[in-house]
């Protein structure tokens, strides 16, 4: 009996010690992050031990709220942060340097390269890929067939896309050949339009983000392509005032072609099974494909006492089990080395999203919001003026000058 009591006491002490050593990680995520990350958090928590306490913050408030929380010493241990904002927080000295740990991960070189690039500041890594998003091109196979097009043939050039758009528009009524959210949605158009330029080797900013390089022959050709699509009435008139609310217009079954996010594949499969669609990479103006790398980076608040627990959670997210959970609920794999294994048994069209990661880009700048995301910023204003307006040269000149002015004022 005495031995049994000692054994029970020993077990209780071990249990209490393990319970006492378990950490609760506080983590903020932006609203709308989707089920994929929520499910991986749930799975991690169900295993016992360390826990993640996740708080959703409205998307439009997250950046400012985090900056305020850091200043007041009330920041969470970790944050799911739109990757475009990682350089700004890193430059402010508010994030934990993860360089040594990150580079020691055996799969480090297979992580989404654009996310790692945006997570790097001054040669050190402050952000790690969490959710990966890419932009892709989709076409409605049923509308292709009705228009006399080969529904199984993915268009490879914008000449093909334009010709297809005209044939689909000729079906009449409220059926249109193409769609884009051009009315002040800078975020939409950096996501879907800029790949036309990137694929051709040009960019809107220099590599160091200190020079605006908007006015290039490639960008002028891209603008001409979209102006032509609008002029030929292949795009609904509402596109000119769409601030992003109708970004998923392709799901209404009346749009023949549209550049979208890879996330839309899951949306179409689960919520719009009636739409028979194909996906491919977005062609550049010279036919060479590209994509926008979007999504979130995982960042850690500098000085958190729960750094080791945070690392364990991220390693679980990167594990085959964690990646499969995220993929099952719509997120692309973060690790390229296990992407095929993770996507095995899921919709094969998701693999186009993986192909896009290899050619995807993201502008690197500390002024992303002022330059690109703001509805009144130079990028959004440029898109509207150059595609729908009458003074294309003026649109280029004004946007180039305003972008450079914003960059110079911040340096």
């Amino acid at each position: 009996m005495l031995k049994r009591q000692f054994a029970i006491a020993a077990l209780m002490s071990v249990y209490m010690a393990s319970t006492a050593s378990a950490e609760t990680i506080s983590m903020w995520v932006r609203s709308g992050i989707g089920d994929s990350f929520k499910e991986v958090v749930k799975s991690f928590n169900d295993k016992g031990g360390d826990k993640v306490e996740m708080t959703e913050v409205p998307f439009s408030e997250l950046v400012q709220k985090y900056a305020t929380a850091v200043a007041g010493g009330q920041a969470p241990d970790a944050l799911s942060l739109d990757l475009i904002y990682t350089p700004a927080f890193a430059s402010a000295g508010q994030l934990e340097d993860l360089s040594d740990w990150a580079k020691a991960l055996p799969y480090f070189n297979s992580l989404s390269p654009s996310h790692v690039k945006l997570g790097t500041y001054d040669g050190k890594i402050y952000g790690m890929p969490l959710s990966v998003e890419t932009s892709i091109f989709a076409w409605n196979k049923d509308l292709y067939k009705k228009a006399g097009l080969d529904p199984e043939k993915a268009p490879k050039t914008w000449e093909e896309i334009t010709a297809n758009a005209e044939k689909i528009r000729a079906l009449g009524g409220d059926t249109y050949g193409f769609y884009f959210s051009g009315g002040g949605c800078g975020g939409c158009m950096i996501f879907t339009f800029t790949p036309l330029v990137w694929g051709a080797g040009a960019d809107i900013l220099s590599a160091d983000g200190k020079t605006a390089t908007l006015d290039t022959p490639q960008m002028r050709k891209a603008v001409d392509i979209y102006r032509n699509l609008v002029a030929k009435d292949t795009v609904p008139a509402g596109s000119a005032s769409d601030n992003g609310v109708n970004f998923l217009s392709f799901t209404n079954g009346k749009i023949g072609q549209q550049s979208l996010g890879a996330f839309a594949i899951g949306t179409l499969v689960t919520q719009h099974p009636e739409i028979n669609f194909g996906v491919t990479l977005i062609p550049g103006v010279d036919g060479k494909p590209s994509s926008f790398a979007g999504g979130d980076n995982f960042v850690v608040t500098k000085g958190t006492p729960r750094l080791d627990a945070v690392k364990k959670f991220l390693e679980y997210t990167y594990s085959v089990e964690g990646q499969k959970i995220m993929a099952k609920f719509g997120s692309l794999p973060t690790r390229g080395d296990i992407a095929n294994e993770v996507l095995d048994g899921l919709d094969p069209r998701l693999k186009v999203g993986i192909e896009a990661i290899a050619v995807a880009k993201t502008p690197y700048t500390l002024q992303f919001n002022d330059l690109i995301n703001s509805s009144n910023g130079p990028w959004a204003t440029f898109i509207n003026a150059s595609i729908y307006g009458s003074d294309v040269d003026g649109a280029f000149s004004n946007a180039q000058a305003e972008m450079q002015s914003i960059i110079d004022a911040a340096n």
Side-chain angles (χ1 to χ4, degrees):
M1 177 66 75
L2 193 59
K3 287 182 180 179
R4 185 167 178 268
Q5 288 176 334
F6 275 124
I8 292 172
L11 286 170
M12 286 296 293
S13 64
V14 169
Y15 171 77
M16 291 174 68
S18 66
T19 302
S21 63
E23 302 273 15
T24 297
I25 303 160
S26 59
M27 183 171 179
W28 287 0
V29 300
R30 51 175 168 165
S31 58
I33 194 170
D35 291 337
S36 59
F37 187 65
K38 294 177 183 178
E39 290 295 329
V40 87
V41 167
K42 181 177 182 298
S43 178
F44 179 79
N45 288 347
D46 287 347
K47 291 181 179 300
D50 296 336
K51 303 275 186 187
V52 174
E53 189 177 79
M54 188 180 73
T55 301
E56 284 192 74
V57 178
F59 173 73
S60 60
E61 301 174 14
L62 181 60
V63 170
Q64 183 58 51
K65 186 172 182 178
Y66 182 63
T68 302
V70 169
Q74 301 296 316
D77 299 308
L79 182 75
S80 178
L81 180 68
D82 191 327
L83 80 163
I84 61 175
Y85 297 119
T86 317
F89 280 103
S91 70
Q94 296 166 334
L95 305 179
E96 192 72 38
D97 179 2
L98 305 173
S99 303
D100 293 341
W101 169 73
K103 291 178 180 178
L105 295 172
Y107 44 80
F108 174 72
N109 290 329
S110 75
L111 295 172
S112 172
S114 286
H115 284 67
V116 174
K117 179 182 177 182
L118 270 288
T120 302
Y121 176 77
D122 199 20
K124 296 179 181 179
I125 299 171
Y126 295 92
M128 295 286 282
L130 181 61
S131 61
V132 177
E133 187 53 66
T134 54
S135 49
I136 49 94
F137 185 88
W139 75 95
N140 185 312
K141 291 186 177 183
D142 290 340
L143 291 182
Y144 260 46
K145 190 173 182 179
K146 287 181 182 178
L149 300 166
D150 183 350
E152 301 306 322
K153 184 186 177 186
K156 297 184 181 300
T157 68
W158 281 93
E159 288 76 16
E160 279 187 75
I161 292 168
T162 301
N164 293 352
E166 290 183 81
K167 289 179 180 178
I168 293 167
R169 180 61 183 135
L171 294 173
D174 57 356
T175 298
Y176 286 85
F178 192 69
Y179 191 80
F180 61 97
S181 301
C185 186
C188 302
M189 293 298 279
I190 196 73
F191 191 51
T192 59
F193 179 67
T194 324
L196 276 70
V197 175
W198 289 334
D203 209 336
I204 64 171
L205 296 171
S206 59
D208 61 6
K210 294 183 179 179
T211 305
T213 58
L214 185 70
D215 195 350
T216 61
Q218 294 90 337
M219 181 59 79
R220 285 188 175 261
K221 187 174 180 181
V223 165
D224 284 345
I225 289 168
Y226 268 52
R227 284 181 67 88
N228 188 39
L229 285 162
V230 171
K232 290 184 173 181
D233 190 37
T234 66
V235 181
S239 166
S241 58
D242 181 8
N243 62 2
V245 174
N246 295 317
F247 182 71
L248 288 180
S249 285
F250 187 82
T251 60
N252 68 19
K254 299 290 186 178
I255 302 296
Q257 305 166 117
Q258 188 179 347
S259 293
L260 294 164
F263 72 89
I265 298 173
T267 301
L268 286 161
V269 169
T270 58
Q271 298 179 30
H272 299 276
E274 74 282 0
I275 296 179
N276 182 20
F277 69 100
V279 293
T280 189
L281 298 178
I282 300 173
V285 295
D286 61 355
K288 296 174 185 174
S290 188
S291 178
F292 182 93
D296 283 18
N297 266 342
F298 186 99
V299 301
V300 184
T301 303
K302 188 173 183 179
T304 174
R306 285 166 285 279
L307 182 58
D308 288 341
V310 168
K311 289 176 179 177
K312 288 178 185 175
F313 169 65
L314 189 54
E315 287 175 2
Y316 174 72
T317 303
Y318 286 154
S319 70
V320 173
E321 181 180 339
Q323 292 283 285
K324 283 188 173 182
I325 291 170
M326 292 190 72
K328 180 182 177 182
F329 289 91
S331 181
L332 293 175
T334 313
R335 288 176 52 185
D337 60 326
I338 58 172
N340 287 334
E341 179 183 357
V342 168
L343 293 178
D344 186 42
L346 299 179
D347 194 292
R349 287 169 290 198
L350 288 168
K351 291 185 179 179
V352 174
I354 294 298
E355 291 174 26
I357 293 174
V359 295
K361 294 187 66 173
T362 313
Y364 188 104
T365 172
L366 304 187
Q367 291 84 43
F368 197 101
N369 199 58
D370 291 338
L371 290 171
I372 297 167
N373 262 4
S374 171
S375 59
N376 298 312
W379 170 250
T381 302
F382 163 74
I383 287 295
N384 200 290
S386 65
I387 295 175
Y388 302 103
S390 58
D391 185 5
V392 176
D393 287 338
F396 270 95
S397 176
N398 292 338
Q400 175 78 20
E402 189 179 349
M403 288 180 82
Q404 193 60 54
S405 176
I406 292 172
I407 294 169
D408 292 342
N411 292 314

PDB file of all heavy atoms in Angstrom, residues 172-200:
ATOM      1  N   GLY A 172     -23.704  37.380 -75.591  1.00  0.00           N
ATOM      2  CA  GLY A 172     -24.727  38.384 -75.309  1.00  0.00           C
ATOM      3  C   GLY A 172     -25.214  38.417 -73.874  1.00  0.00           C
ATOM      4  O   GLY A 172     -24.735  37.674 -73.008  1.00  0.00           O
ATOM      5  N   GLY A 173     -26.175  39.298 -73.636  1.00  0.00           N
ATOM      6  CA  GLY A 173     -26.773  39.436 -72.303  1.00  0.00           C
ATOM      7  C   GLY A 173     -25.773  39.914 -71.271  1.00  0.00           C
ATOM      8  O   GLY A 173     -24.958  40.807 -71.529  1.00  0.00           O
ATOM      9  N   ASP A 174     -25.844  39.311 -70.089  1.00  0.00           N
ATOM     10  CA  ASP A 174     -24.942  39.714 -69.005  1.00  0.00           C
ATOM     11  C   ASP A 174     -23.747  38.778 -68.882  1.00  0.00           C
ATOM     12  O   ASP A 174     -23.158  38.643 -67.808  1.00  0.00           O
ATOM     13  CB  ASP A 174     -25.703  39.796 -67.683  1.00  0.00           C
ATOM     14  CG  ASP A 174     -26.395  38.479 -67.320  1.00  0.00           C
ATOM     15  OD1 ASP A 174     -26.346  37.542 -68.143  1.00  0.00           O
ATOM     16  OD2 ASP A 174     -26.979  38.401 -66.217  1.00  0.00           O
ATOM     17  N   THR A 175     -23.395  38.129 -69.976  1.00  0.00           N
ATOM     18  CA  THR A 175     -22.213  37.275 -70.001  1.00  0.00           C
ATOM     19  C   THR A 175     -21.037  38.089 -70.541  1.00  0.00           C
ATOM     20  O   THR A 175     -21.136  38.695 -71.610  1.00  0.00           O
ATOM     21  CB  THR A 175     -22.442  36.043 -70.899  1.00  0.00           C
ATOM     22  OG1 THR A 175     -23.506  35.267 -70.364  1.00  0.00           O
ATOM     23  CG2 THR A 175     -21.187  35.186 -70.962  1.00  0.00           C
ATOM     24  N   TYR A 176     -19.942  38.085 -69.801  1.00  0.00           N
ATOM     25  CA  TYR A 176     -18.775  38.891 -70.170  1.00  0.00           C
ATOM     26  C   TYR A 176     -17.528  38.008 -70.258  1.00  0.00           C
ATOM     27  O   TYR A 176     -17.434  36.965 -69.618  1.00  0.00           O
ATOM     28  CB  TYR A 176     -18.546  40.017 -69.169  1.00  0.00           C
ATOM     29  CG  TYR A 176     -19.550  41.143 -69.307  1.00  0.00           C
ATOM     30  CD1 TYR A 176     -20.794  41.069 -68.672  1.00  0.00           C
ATOM     31  CD2 TYR A 176     -19.261  42.267 -70.079  1.00  0.00           C
ATOM     32  CE1 TYR A 176     -21.730  42.095 -68.818  1.00  0.00           C
ATOM     33  CE2 TYR A 176     -20.190  43.290 -70.220  1.00  0.00           C
ATOM     34  CZ  TYR A 176     -21.414  43.202 -69.590  1.00  0.00           C
ATOM     35  OH  TYR A 176     -22.326  44.212 -69.737  1.00  0.00           O
ATOM     36  N   GLY A 177     -16.552  38.485 -71.026  1.00  0.00           N
ATOM     37  CA  GLY A 177     -15.364  37.680 -71.285  1.00  0.00           C
ATOM     38  C   GLY A 177     -14.263  37.804 -70.258  1.00  0.00           C
ATOM     39  O   GLY A 177     -13.377  36.947 -70.182  1.00  0.00           O
ATOM     40  N   PHE A 178     -14.304  38.875 -69.437  1.00  0.00           N
ATOM     41  CA  PHE A 178     -13.207  39.100 -68.483  1.00  0.00           C
ATOM     42  C   PHE A 178     -13.716  39.970 -67.340  1.00  0.00           C
ATOM     43  O   PHE A 178     -14.724  40.661 -67.469  1.00  0.00           O
ATOM     44  CB  PHE A 178     -12.033  39.787 -69.197  1.00  0.00           C
ATOM     45  CG  PHE A 178     -10.760  39.815 -68.388  1.00  0.00           C
ATOM     46  CD1 PHE A 178     -10.051  38.648 -68.138  1.00  0.00           C
ATOM     47  CD2 PHE A 178     -10.267  41.012 -67.897  1.00  0.00           C
ATOM     48  CE1 PHE A 178      -8.877  38.677 -67.398  1.00  0.00           C
ATOM     49  CE2 PHE A 178      -9.088  41.053 -67.151  1.00  0.00           C
ATOM     50  CZ  PHE A 178      -8.395  39.887 -66.910  1.00  0.00           C
ATOM     51  N   TYR A 179     -12.990  39.932 -66.209  1.00  0.00           N
ATOM     52  CA  TYR A 179     -13.353  40.784 -65.079  1.00  0.00           C
ATOM     53  C   TYR A 179     -12.116  41.122 -64.250  1.00  0.00           C
ATOM     54  O   TYR A 179     -11.188  40.324 -64.135  1.00  0.00           O
ATOM     55  CB  TYR A 179     -14.399  40.129 -64.161  1.00  0.00           C
ATOM     56  CG  TYR A 179     -14.961  41.124 -63.170  1.00  0.00           C
ATOM     57  CD1 TYR A 179     -15.946  42.016 -63.563  1.00  0.00           C
ATOM     58  CD2 TYR A 179     -14.450  41.222 -61.886  1.00  0.00           C
ATOM     59  CE1 TYR A 179     -16.432  42.982 -62.691  1.00  0.00           C
ATOM     60  CE2 TYR A 179     -14.925  42.186 -61.003  1.00  0.00           C
ATOM     61  CZ  TYR A 179     -15.915  43.065 -61.406  1.00  0.00           C
ATOM     62  OH  TYR A 179     -16.384  44.038 -60.559  1.00  0.00           O
ATOM     63  N   PHE A 180     -12.129  42.316 -63.672  1.00  0.00           N
ATOM     64  CA  PHE A 180     -11.123  42.715 -62.678  1.00  0.00           C
ATOM     65  C   PHE A 180     -11.711  43.822 -61.822  1.00  0.00           C
ATOM     66  O   PHE A 180     -12.576  44.574 -62.263  1.00  0.00           O
ATOM     67  CB  PHE A 180      -9.820  43.172 -63.342  1.00  0.00           C
ATOM     68  CG  PHE A 180      -9.953  44.373 -64.243  1.00  0.00           C
ATOM     69  CD1 PHE A 180      -9.654  45.647 -63.781  1.00  0.00           C
ATOM     70  CD2 PHE A 180     -10.363  44.228 -65.563  1.00  0.00           C
ATOM     71  CE1 PHE A 180      -9.765  46.755 -64.610  1.00  0.00           C
ATOM     72  CE2 PHE A 180     -10.478  45.332 -66.409  1.00  0.00           C
ATOM     73  CZ  PHE A 180     -10.179  46.591 -65.930  1.00  0.00           C
ATOM     74  N   SER A 181     -11.251  43.901 -60.574  1.00  0.00           N
ATOM     75  CA  SER A 181     -11.713  44.944 -59.641  1.00  0.00           C
ATOM     76  C   SER A 181     -10.791  46.149 -59.795  1.00  0.00           C
ATOM     77  O   SER A 181      -9.755  46.244 -59.127  1.00  0.00           O
ATOM     78  CB  SER A 181     -11.680  44.423 -58.198  1.00  0.00           C
ATOM     79  OG  SER A 181     -12.496  43.275 -58.060  1.00  0.00           O
ATOM     80  N   GLY A 182     -11.159  47.079 -60.661  1.00  0.00           N
ATOM     81  CA  GLY A 182     -10.253  48.181 -60.980  1.00  0.00           C
ATOM     82  C   GLY A 182     -10.569  49.504 -60.338  1.00  0.00           C
ATOM     83  O   GLY A 182      -9.792  50.448 -60.449  1.00  0.00           O
ATOM     84  N   GLY A 183     -11.691  49.615 -59.654  1.00  0.00           N
ATOM     85  CA  GLY A 183     -12.114  50.912 -59.137  1.00  0.00           C
ATOM     86  C   GLY A 183     -11.557  51.268 -57.779  1.00  0.00           C
ATOM     87  O   GLY A 183     -12.286  51.356 -56.798  1.00  0.00           O
ATOM     88  N   GLY A 184     -10.283  51.484 -57.690  1.00  0.00           N
ATOM     89  CA  GLY A 184      -9.683  51.906 -56.424  1.00  0.00           C
ATOM     90  C   GLY A 184      -9.224  50.777 -55.537  1.00  0.00           C
ATOM     91  O   GLY A 184      -8.833  51.017 -54.392  1.00  0.00           O
ATOM     92  N   CYS A 185      -9.262  49.549 -56.009  1.00  0.00           N
ATOM     93  CA  CYS A 185      -8.783  48.435 -55.184  1.00  0.00           C
ATOM     94  C   CYS A 185      -7.321  48.145 -55.536  1.00  0.00           C
ATOM     95  O   CYS A 185      -7.018  47.254 -56.342  1.00  0.00           O
ATOM     96  CB  CYS A 185      -9.637  47.178 -55.401  1.00  0.00           C
ATOM     97  SG  CYS A 185      -9.208  45.818 -54.284  1.00  0.00           S
ATOM     98  N   GLY A 186      -6.436  48.931 -54.934  1.00  0.00           N
ATOM     99  CA  GLY A 186      -5.015  48.763 -55.202  1.00  0.00           C
ATOM    100  C   GLY A 186      -4.517  47.378 -54.857  1.00  0.00           C
ATOM    101  O   GLY A 186      -3.708  46.788 -55.576  1.00  0.00           O
ATOM    102  N   GLY A 187      -5.021  46.834 -53.731  1.00  0.00           N
ATOM    103  CA  GLY A 187      -4.612  45.497 -53.318  1.00  0.00           C
ATOM    104  C   GLY A 187      -5.012  44.432 -54.318  1.00  0.00           C
ATOM    105  O   GLY A 187      -4.262  43.489 -54.583  1.00  0.00           O
ATOM    106  N   CYS A 188      -6.222  44.588 -54.902  1.00  0.00           N
ATOM    107  CA  CYS A 188      -6.680  43.615 -55.906  1.00  0.00           C
ATOM    108  C   CYS A 188      -5.778  43.628 -57.125  1.00  0.00           C
ATOM    109  O   CYS A 188      -5.396  42.578 -57.662  1.00  0.00           O
ATOM    110  CB  CYS A 188      -8.108  43.942 -56.353  1.00  0.00           C
ATOM    111  SG  CYS A 188      -9.345  43.992 -55.047  1.00  0.00           S
ATOM    112  N   MET A 189      -5.420  44.822 -57.567  1.00  0.00           N
ATOM    113  CA  MET A 189      -4.697  44.948 -58.831  1.00  0.00           C
ATOM    114  C   MET A 189      -3.198  44.690 -58.703  1.00  0.00           C
ATOM    115  O   MET A 189      -2.563  44.318 -59.686  1.00  0.00           O
ATOM    116  CB  MET A 189      -4.960  46.317 -59.441  1.00  0.00           C
ATOM    117  CG  MET A 189      -6.397  46.503 -59.897  1.00  0.00           C
ATOM    118  SD  MET A 189      -6.878  45.332 -61.203  1.00  0.00           S
ATOM    119  CE  MET A 189      -6.174  46.152 -62.630  1.00  0.00           C
ATOM    120  N   ILE A 190      -2.640  44.884 -57.535  1.00  0.00           N
ATOM    121  CA  ILE A 190      -1.234  44.475 -57.363  1.00  0.00           C
ATOM    122  C   ILE A 190      -1.174  42.949 -57.388  1.00  0.00           C
ATOM    123  O   ILE A 190      -0.206  42.343 -57.846  1.00  0.00           O
ATOM    124  CB  ILE A 190      -0.641  45.032 -56.040  1.00  0.00           C
ATOM    125  CG1 ILE A 190       0.899  44.954 -56.051  1.00  0.00           C
ATOM    126  CG2 ILE A 190      -1.160  44.303 -54.817  1.00  0.00           C
ATOM    127  CD1 ILE A 190       1.545  45.959 -56.959  1.00  0.00           C
ATOM    128  N   PHE A 191      -2.241  42.332 -56.931  1.00  0.00           N
ATOM    129  CA  PHE A 191      -2.361  40.873 -56.833  1.00  0.00           C
ATOM    130  C   PHE A 191      -2.538  40.217 -58.201  1.00  0.00           C
ATOM    131  O   PHE A 191      -1.920  39.193 -58.500  1.00  0.00           O
ATOM    132  CB  PHE A 191      -3.564  40.576 -55.926  1.00  0.00           C
ATOM    133  CG  PHE A 191      -3.713  39.160 -55.479  1.00  0.00           C
ATOM    134  CD1 PHE A 191      -2.669  38.461 -54.903  1.00  0.00           C
ATOM    135  CD2 PHE A 191      -4.939  38.523 -55.606  1.00  0.00           C
ATOM    136  CE1 PHE A 191      -2.834  37.152 -54.469  1.00  0.00           C
ATOM    137  CE2 PHE A 191      -5.116  37.220 -55.179  1.00  0.00           C
ATOM    138  CZ  PHE A 191      -4.058  36.535 -54.599  1.00  0.00           C
ATOM    139  N   THR A 192      -3.367  40.832 -59.045  1.00  0.00           N
ATOM    140  CA  THR A 192      -3.736  40.171 -60.302  1.00  0.00           C
ATOM    141  C   THR A 192      -3.169  40.814 -61.559  1.00  0.00           C
ATOM    142  O   THR A 192      -3.021  40.150 -62.581  1.00  0.00           O
ATOM    143  CB  THR A 192      -5.272  40.138 -60.443  1.00  0.00           C
ATOM    144  OG1 THR A 192      -5.775  41.483 -60.413  1.00  0.00           O
ATOM    145  CG2 THR A 192      -5.905  39.335 -59.311  1.00  0.00           C
ATOM    146  N   PHE A 193      -2.844  42.104 -61.513  1.00  0.00           N
ATOM    147  CA  PHE A 193      -2.402  42.821 -62.703  1.00  0.00           C
ATOM    148  C   PHE A 193      -0.878  42.896 -62.835  1.00  0.00           C
ATOM    149  O   PHE A 193      -0.334  42.760 -63.937  1.00  0.00           O
ATOM    150  CB  PHE A 193      -3.003  44.230 -62.687  1.00  0.00           C
ATOM    151  CG  PHE A 193      -2.618  45.097 -63.850  1.00  0.00           C
ATOM    152  CD1 PHE A 193      -3.044  44.796 -65.135  1.00  0.00           C
ATOM    153  CD2 PHE A 193      -1.841  46.234 -63.662  1.00  0.00           C
ATOM    154  CE1 PHE A 193      -2.694  45.606 -66.216  1.00  0.00           C
ATOM    155  CE2 PHE A 193      -1.491  47.045 -64.719  1.00  0.00           C
ATOM    156  CZ  PHE A 193      -1.921  46.743 -66.006  1.00  0.00           C
ATOM    157  N   THR A 194      -0.191  43.103 -61.724  1.00  0.00           N
ATOM    158  CA  THR A 194       1.265  43.261 -61.788  1.00  0.00           C
ATOM    159  C   THR A 194       1.990  42.039 -62.340  1.00  0.00           C
ATOM    160  O   THR A 194       3.046  42.204 -62.955  1.00  0.00           O
ATOM    161  CB  THR A 194       1.828  43.622 -60.395  1.00  0.00           C
ATOM    162  OG1 THR A 194       0.907  44.466 -59.723  1.00  0.00           O
ATOM    163  CG2 THR A 194       3.164  44.340 -60.510  1.00  0.00           C
ATOM    164  N   PRO A 195       1.480  40.804 -62.164  1.00  0.00           N
ATOM    165  CA  PRO A 195       2.163  39.661 -62.789  1.00  0.00           C
ATOM    166  C   PRO A 195       2.365  39.804 -64.295  1.00  0.00           C
ATOM    167  O   PRO A 195       3.303  39.212 -64.846  1.00  0.00           O
ATOM    168  CB  PRO A 195       1.229  38.489 -62.451  1.00  0.00           C
ATOM    169  CG  PRO A 195       0.644  38.849 -61.126  1.00  0.00           C
ATOM    170  CD  PRO A 195       0.423  40.334 -61.234  1.00  0.00           C
ATOM    171  N   LEU A 196       1.528  40.602 -64.976  1.00  0.00           N
ATOM    172  CA  LEU A 196       1.724  40.820 -66.403  1.00  0.00           C
ATOM    173  C   LEU A 196       3.086  41.462 -66.676  1.00  0.00           C
ATOM    174  O   LEU A 196       3.728  41.205 -67.694  1.00  0.00           O
ATOM    175  CB  LEU A 196       0.628  41.743 -66.973  1.00  0.00           C
ATOM    176  CG  LEU A 196      -0.706  41.098 -67.388  1.00  0.00           C
ATOM    177  CD1 LEU A 196      -1.487  40.619 -66.188  1.00  0.00           C
ATOM    178  CD2 LEU A 196      -1.536  42.082 -68.197  1.00  0.00           C
ATOM    179  N   VAL A 197       3.501  42.315 -65.720  1.00  0.00           N
ATOM    180  CA  VAL A 197       4.768  43.032 -65.864  1.00  0.00           C
ATOM    181  C   VAL A 197       5.932  42.195 -65.339  1.00  0.00           C
ATOM    182  O   VAL A 197       6.987  42.098 -65.959  1.00  0.00           O
ATOM    183  CB  VAL A 197       4.685  44.379 -65.112  1.00  0.00           C
ATOM    184  CG1 VAL A 197       6.022  45.088 -65.128  1.00  0.00           C
ATOM    185  CG2 VAL A 197       3.606  45.254 -65.716  1.00  0.00           C
ATOM    186  N   TRP A 198       5.715  41.580 -64.175  1.00  0.00           N
ATOM    187  CA  TRP A 198       6.782  40.773 -63.576  1.00  0.00           C
ATOM    188  C   TRP A 198       7.227  39.649 -64.495  1.00  0.00           C
ATOM    189  O   TRP A 198       8.406  39.356 -64.618  1.00  0.00           O
ATOM    190  CB  TRP A 198       6.309  40.183 -62.250  1.00  0.00           C
ATOM    191  CG  TRP A 198       6.157  41.183 -61.154  1.00  0.00           C
ATOM    192  CD1 TRP A 198       6.814  42.377 -61.031  1.00  0.00           C
ATOM    193  CD2 TRP A 198       5.297  41.086 -60.021  1.00  0.00           C
ATOM    194  NE1 TRP A 198       6.404  43.030 -59.888  1.00  0.00           N
ATOM    195  CE2 TRP A 198       5.477  42.254 -59.256  1.00  0.00           C
ATOM    196  CE3 TRP A 198       4.393  40.137 -59.584  1.00  0.00           C
ATOM    197  CZ2 TRP A 198       4.789  42.480 -58.065  1.00  0.00           C
ATOM    198  CZ3 TRP A 198       3.704  40.359 -58.401  1.00  0.00           C
ATOM    199  CH2 TRP A 198       3.902  41.518 -57.651  1.00  0.00           C
ATOM    200  N   GLY A 199       6.266  39.002 -65.144  1.00  0.00           N
ATOM    201  CA  GLY A 199       6.607  37.903 -66.035  1.00  0.00           C
ATOM    202  C   GLY A 199       7.508  38.347 -67.174  1.00  0.00           C
ATOM    203  O   GLY A 199       8.301  37.560 -67.703  1.00  0.00           O
ATOM    204  N   ALA A 200       7.416  39.632 -67.528  1.00  0.00           N
ATOM    205  CA  ALA A 200       8.216  40.175 -68.620  1.00  0.00           C
ATOM    206  C   ALA A 200       9.520  40.812 -68.141  1.00  0.00           C
ATOM    207  O   ALA A 200      10.234  41.440 -68.917  1.00  0.00           O
ATOM    208  CB  ALA A 200       7.401  41.202 -69.397  1.00  0.00           C
TER     209      ALA A 200
END
